[in-house]
Amino acid sequence: MVLKVFFPSCCSLADSGILIGRWISEQNSAVVLAVVHFPFIPVQVKQYLGEVQRVTKVSVSVLGSWSNSKQEKEESLSEFLEDLGTIFCHEPWIQISKEGDSKFWSCSTLQKHSKNPQEEEIILVYYDQRKVMLSHLHPPLDTAGRRAEDASKLSAIFDTVARSRVLFMTDRYDEGPIKLTHWQSDGVEASIIVELMKQASVPACMLLTFLLSLLSGICRSRVLKFWPLSFLWSKLSTCEQLGHRLQHLQVISSNKKAQNQNQLMRKANIFVSLLIDVALGILLMSWLYRKNRIGHLADTLIPVADHVAEELQDLLQWLMGAPAGLKMNRALDQVLGRFFLYHIHLWISYIHLLSPFIEMILWYVGLSACLGLTVALCILSDIIALLTFHIYCFYVYGARLYCLKIYGLSSLWRLFRGKKWNVLRQRVDSCSYDLDQLFIGTLLFTILLFLLPTTALYYLVFTLLRLLVVIVQGLIHLLVDLIDSLPLYSLILRLCRSYRLAAGVKFRVLEQQDGKPLRLLMQINPLSYGGVVQTYRLPTYSCYPRDSWASLCKKLFLGELIYPWKHKGEKQN
Amino acid sequence: MAEERRFRSASGAPIALRRRQHSASCRDLAVRGPRLQLRSLSAATSAVWLAAYGLFALSENSMVLSAAIFITLIGLIIYLHFVKIDQESLLVIGSLGIQVTSSYASGKESTTFIEMSQVKDVVINEAIHMQKVIYYLCILLQDPDDPQGVSEVVPLFQSSKPRLDCLIEVYKSCQEILEQRKTAPQSS
């Protein structure tokens, strides 16, 4: 059976000593964590290892001996090292020795209780201790459901190094009896900024939690729950987005420490996302308020609304004539056309009534862009919904009329053929009608059939307009969702410190020499950007199109009202 | 020790197989495809630039020329970094696993490492590709729930597509190492 020794590359230049680490017998591999130097007292070493084992729950033990001699191999030293094997009994006792500056080390094992005393092959795998300690191994995305215990042998190695953090806290300037060499033995590193931020974050979090509890108390108060207001809040997408961000703030400001990697990354992602959002929002606000651009915007809003209304009037005049050469039913055409024209007239009067206040309202509403770019985009979407409210109304009227007509036609068609819809059995049954029923039914059927093109045309035109508005709103919401759910912190981490997010490992074969063990270098294979986004994306509150294309087409044909997005912007007068 | 032999790919292009044995249980097999030819590169660039010059002569808009240069550069970078695979290699380390590497013309390497416990077997399969039936080498991954089942098939050498003679060499080398794990005694 092949023996694998995982050796940290930082210990290659260490002085002679004994190797401590973890022996994983199922995989026949030894993970070396540090080198203990001479002189030491074996009892103290065993005590220290017992303490480390208790704290880290990793079964750390003495694995073998390491000799780094500048001259040729000394016979007495090798016997001394073999004798150490009897003091710290470990099966198998690994002996690694390096001569001078040679890259090729000799490695041998001593088995006292082996059944088959044949020479087993040894593979020496070098690994970068700091990177493996900090990295987080991600399981393959498709087997996330199955918890296979032996799916990844490498995760045991990553786990061992990550959990032995306390072993790496002692450096060579400590006055203890044990002298270790590991990646931090030249001096423990820390950052002042990180420590200061940790100290400052506790009172900041408490203040934030207090403010948020006040805010959510106000939001939940009875005053805001009365019927018109609560309906309003549920329809405006701005309120949903603000609620979503409030939830995010609550997650960040909670003083419970993150339990595992996923929760930590989620908190960090939310924090960075909020920061970037607010920064972009403030940038947008400064751009809008400079040179009074918002005043110009308010000034052009009324003319744009007027222009839209005029275009609609022209469209209706076109429909009332002979649109695209089709011959409409004169009377119905005039009725529908005049009804919609009157509606537009009402709408224009309403807009003109509001026009003196528009600039002020817009100025104050624009200030709320400092809450974030997503809030500004939601406000834009709501303004579009408000301005095109008449198109929505027309669509509803046209759709209802068309829907009634279609149902009437289908029911009378059944009557024409002598059949009836059986509600109990949910199927079409034959039925014998009286003569006068048949007469009236056929008459009504003919009337509805010949009036169908007119209604269908109005319905088609207004549905197309409504779909246009829905598409524009949908694009805005798509952008908002993208900003909400993108895990920016994880992406930046993948860019700058790619070893922290590991999808696996890769091995590189180093120079070999006959007779010496196989030398491999284990490097971390980082997760791809697509994998990072898939693993760490933040959940959002909307779900995309509820209906499939087929059911959407069916609804359009039958005249049922469509709500393609889960949340829609609509405001009642 | 390294040895290199020439073969042909499924479409007739010349490829080279290089085998290296690092130790008794570690082998490295690399298939190198043909390099990017200067001929085809200059032909493609000249064609694009001629078309752009023709458009410029018609429309008198100098943006067409700058756009053509931009497109050529971006297209070349995308082709070298994401499309053109120079070398595909297989590193088999008995008792650790199998590592599959693809190196692109721009120097990028994309690596996947499959642990030995997940590998069920390495086989040669047949596939219908466009209008041909070709042979390809693949790794069968073990299904953790079902000892007889296969959870995934990982095809190898997808861009160089060697023919059967080359695949048989690679197959024999892999099987020699995979057999060792069956005959090796399990640790108690």
Side-chain angles (χ1 to χ4, degrees):
Chain A
M1 197 64 187
V2 178
L3 177 74
K4 302 177 277 265
V5 178
F6 290 87
F7 198 83
S9 30
C10 49
C11 295
S12 312
L13 299 168
D15 291 330
S16 312
I18 52 169
L19 302 164
I20 54 172
R22 181 178 167 205
W23 168 253
I24 309 176
S25 53
E26 310 88 56
Q27 302 173 33
N28 212 32
S29 45
V31 183
V32 175
L33 292 170
V35 178
V36 178
H37 297 297
F38 307 119
F40 56 82
I41 305 176
V43 170
Q44 281 182 338
V45 171
K46 286 191 189 168
Q47 226 175 19
Y48 178 68
L49 287 179
E51 265 176 43
V52 168
Q53 204 161 335
R54 205 173 32 90
V55 172
T56 62
K57 313 267 184 304
V58 173
S59 53
V60 186
S61 57
V62 179
L63 296 173
S65 70
W66 157 251
S67 84
N68 183 0
S69 51
K70 308 289 182 293
Q71 307 88 11
E72 282 86 42
K73 212 166 161 183
E74 293 166 22
E75 285 303 316
S76 52
L77 187 62
S78 56
E79 276 182 28
F80 170 58
L81 292 172
E82 273 185 36
D83 290 338
L84 278 176
T86 51
I87 307 176
F88 301 103
C89 42
H90 184 263
E91 267 300 292
W93 182 253
I94 302 169
Q95 289 172 300
I96 309 181
S97 71
K98 173 180 172 189
E99 276 111 41
D101 281 331
S102 164
K103 278 188 290 201
F104 306 107
W105 306 349
S106 38
C107 200
S108 59
T109 55
L110 272 182
Q111 302 246 23
K112 293 198 197 78
H113 313 290
S114 62
K115 302 176 197 93
N116 38 359
Q118 70 215 58
E119 272 295 309
E120 53 179 8
E121 195 190 335
I122 303 179
I123 298 182
L124 206 55
V125 182
Y126 296 105
Y127 71 96
D128 187 329
Q129 209 166 40
R130 176 168 168 263
K131 289 192 178 167
V132 170
M133 187 185 86
L134 289 173
S135 132
H136 176 244
L137 194 63
H138 293 85
L141 291 161
D142 44 341
T143 60
R146 288 182 283 192
R147 276 233 60 207
E149 295 301 322
D150 55 353
S152 177
K153 306 268 189 328
L154 290 163
S155 56
I157 297 165
F158 276 73
D159 209 31
T160 308
V161 182
R163 284 196 288 171
S164 321
R165 233 175 246 256
V166 78
L167 189 68
F168 305 133
M169 284 301 165
T170 52
D171 54 25
R172 65 180 150 113
Y173 305 107
D174 278 349
E175 295 298 327
I178 316 270
K179 295 259 175 289
L180 292 172
T181 302
H182 46 73
W183 70 273
Q184 251 186 26
S185 56
D186 279 340
V188 174
E189 300 168 350
S191 161
I192 293 187
I193 299 178
V194 170
E195 296 298 319
L196 278 176
M197 280 181 56
K198 278 194 200 161
Q199 295 296 323
S201 68
V202 171
C205 277
M206 283 181 23
L207 183 66
L208 202 59
T209 322
F210 175 64
L211 285 173
L212 285 175
S213 57
L214 270 181
L215 205 61
S216 37
I218 294 174
C219 287
R220 263 185 240 124
S221 71
R222 303 297 293 261
V223 171
L224 295 175
K225 289 276 187 201
F226 287 138
W227 182 81
L229 285 174
S230 67
F231 187 67
L232 209 66
W233 302 146
S234 68
K235 295 299 180 197
L236 282 179
S237 58
T238 317
C239 299
E240 277 200 56
Q241 176 67 18
L242 282 172
H244 188 62
R245 280 305 193 205
L246 205 71
Q247 235 182 347
H248 278 174
L249 276 174
Q250 276 174 337
V251 167
I252 299 181
S253 64
S254 77
N255 44 15
K256 271 196 320 201
K257 253 185 105 65
Q259 299 299 330
N260 57 11
Q261 165 85 354
N262 270 345
Q263 283 184 5
L264 185 70
M265 294 294 271
R266 175 171 288 200
K267 270 187 155 182
N269 279 326
I270 292 176
F271 182 65
V272 173
S273 170
L274 263 174
L275 217 64
I276 302 269
D277 200 13
V278 169
L280 284 174
I282 293 182
L283 211 69
L284 179 72
M285 205 173 73
S286 74
W287 179 79
L288 273 178
Y289 284 87
R290 211 182 308 166
K291 296 187 197 166
N292 199 18
R293 282 209 185 90
I294 202 147
H296 295 321
L297 208 71
D299 285 340
T300 56
L301 211 63
I302 301 290
V304 162
D306 272 347
H307 179 73
V308 168
E310 264 178 41
E311 291 287 325
L312 265 179
Q313 276 174 335
D314 286 344
L315 184 72
L316 281 168
Q317 294 289 357
W318 181 66
L319 280 177
M320 284 198 331
L326 295 167
K327 196 147 188 291
M328 301 273 107
N329 179 295
R330 201 106 187 104
L332 184 64
D333 218 357
Q334 295 286 330
V335 162
L336 285 176
R338 292 230 184 91
F339 172 64
F340 289 134
L341 276 171
Y342 183 62
H343 206 281
I344 292 181
H345 172 76
L346 276 178
W347 181 253
I348 292 291
S349 327
Y350 167 69
I351 292 275
H352 279 245
L353 205 69
L354 226 50
S355 62
F357 307 112
I358 285 281
E359 173 150 4
M360 199 172 63
I361 294 177
L362 212 60
W363 205 90
Y364 284 112
V365 161
L367 277 180
S368 64
C370 72
L371 291 172
L373 185 67
T374 45
V375 176
L377 284 173
C378 283
I379 290 177
L380 179 68
S381 157
D382 284 339
I383 289 178
I384 290 180
L386 270 179
L387 283 181
T388 56
F389 184 62
H390 45 338
I391 294 182
Y392 176 70
C393 284
F394 290 173
Y395 165 70
V396 171
Y397 300 149
R400 288 271 184 246
L401 211 60
Y402 179 75
C403 183
L404 270 172
K405 191 162 258 189
I406 291 284
Y407 275 114
L409 269 176
S410 57
S411 152
L412 289 172
W413 171 246
R414 274 182 234 125
L415 178 136
F416 190 65
R417 285 157 56 220
K419 301 213 186 281
K420 191 179 81 153
W421 175 254
N422 189 340
V423 183
L424 208 61
R425 299 273 178 116
Q426 294 288 313
R427 63 169 188 205
V428 178
D429 275 342
S430 63
C431 169
S432 60
Y433 291 100
D434 295 340
L435 194 64
D436 44 355
Q437 277 176 330
L438 274 176
F439 185 62
I440 306 266
T442 313
L443 208 63
L444 281 174
F445 176 72
T446 326
I447 294 174
L448 281 179
L449 185 67
F450 288 130
L451 288 179
L452 186 66
T454 315
T455 336
L457 193 70
Y458 273 91
Y459 172 65
L460 187 74
V461 167
F462 291 134
T463 311
L464 283 175
L465 282 173
R466 170 77 186 143
L467 280 178
L468 194 70
V469 172
V470 160
I471 286 175
V472 169
Q473 272 192 297
L475 283 173
I476 295 180
H477 283 291
L478 207 69
L479 192 61
V480 167
D481 260 355
L482 187 73
I483 300 178
D484 262 346
S485 69
L486 201 65
L488 277 170
Y489 175 72
S490 309
L491 284 174
I492 294 175
L493 203 64
R494 167 67 182 86
L495 196 66
C496 304
R497 304 255 183 279
S498 55
Y499 57 82
R500 294 272 300 257
L501 302 165
V505 295
K506 48 188 180 201
F507 290 94
R508 211 177 70 190
V509 183
L510 302 172
E511 273 179 62
Q512 305 299 323
Q513 203 184 54
D514 283 335
K516 304 283 186 189
L518 178 69
R519 291 165 75 229
L520 297 171
L521 176 65
M522 183 171 91
Q523 290 167 316
I524 296 187
N525 200 14
L527 205 54
S528 64
Y529 287 100
V532 170
V533 171
Q534 212 175 339
T535 319
Y536 291 113
R537 64 182 302 188
L538 301 165
T540 53
Y541 51 84
S542 67
C543 72
Y544 285 99
R546 288 204 295 188
D547 299 313
S548 65
W549 288 109
S551 65
L552 196 71
C553 287
K554 182 164 166 266
K555 279 193 178 173
L556 279 176
F557 186 69
L558 286 180
E560 285 173 24
L561 290 175
I562 45 172
Y563 302 112
W565 316 107
K566 192 169 180 186
H567 56 88
K568 53 199 193 314
E570 184 193 336
K571 190 170 177 215
Q572 289 280 356
N573 270 354
Chain B
M1 51 200 188
E3 44 175 83
E4 188 160 323
R5 282 180 59 182
R6 296 199 179 283
F7 290 97
R8 286 207 168 265
S9 80
S11 50
I15 56 174
L17 171 70
R18 194 192 58 199
R19 267 198 304 203
R20 265 208 299 220
Q21 174 135 2
H22 298 287
S23 89
S25 67
C26 176
R27 272 199 202 153
D28 185 8
L29 301 138
V31 171
R32 211 178 61 223
R35 296 284 166 109
L36 187 63
Q37 304 269 8
L38 189 61
R39 258 193 309 221
S40 45
L41 184 64
S42 30
T45 317
S46 333
V48 171
W49 286 357
L50 270 173
Y53 197 70
L55 264 177
F56 169 67
L58 276 174
S59 67
E60 304 289 333
N61 187 359
S62 64
M63 281 294 285
V64 174
L65 292 176
S66 357
I69 294 178
F70 195 63
I71 290 174
T72 315
L73 273 174
I74 298 285
L76 187 65
I77 290 178
I78 291 180
Y79 179 68
L80 289 179
H81 198 71
F82 293 106
V83 174
K84 177 98 184 72
I85 296 185
D86 256 352
Q87 174 174 297
E88 289 165 304
S89 67
L90 200 64
L91 175 69
V92 186
I93 310 172
S95 81
L96 265 180
I98 303 183
Q99 176 167 296
V100 183
T101 318
S102 310
S103 350
Y104 291 82
S106 63
K108 170 174 107 155
E109 284 192 2
S110 102
T111 322
T112 327
F113 179 73
I114 305 169
E115 295 184 42
M116 212 33 122
S117 57
Q118 285 182 315
V119 172
K120 187 158 190 275
D121 205 357
V122 172
V123 294
I124 298 182
N125 246 347
E126 284 175 322
I128 299 177
H129 173 75
M130 304 283 224
Q131 80 285 10
K132 299 191 277 234
V133 174
I134 56 168
Y135 294 98
Y136 67 100
L137 192 71
C138 59
I139 305 179
L140 300 175
L141 296 187
Q142 183 96 33
D143 191 1
D145 304 324
D146 175 19
Q148 303 297 326
V150 172
S151 74
E152 209 184 319
V153 172
V154 179
L156 305 172
F157 304 122
Q158 281 187 292
S159 107
S160 39
K161 294 198 198 58
R163 288 198 182 160
L164 192 60
D165 44 4
C166 178
L167 287 178
I168 289 179
E169 297 288 332
V170 179
Y171 174 78
K172 279 193 213 161
S173 295
C174 288
Q175 286 295 334
E176 274 166 31
I177 299 192
L178 286 178
E179 267 165 16
Q180 286 175 5
R181 66 169 176 165
K182 291 191 194 103
T183 57
Q186 296 299 319
S187 58
S188 52

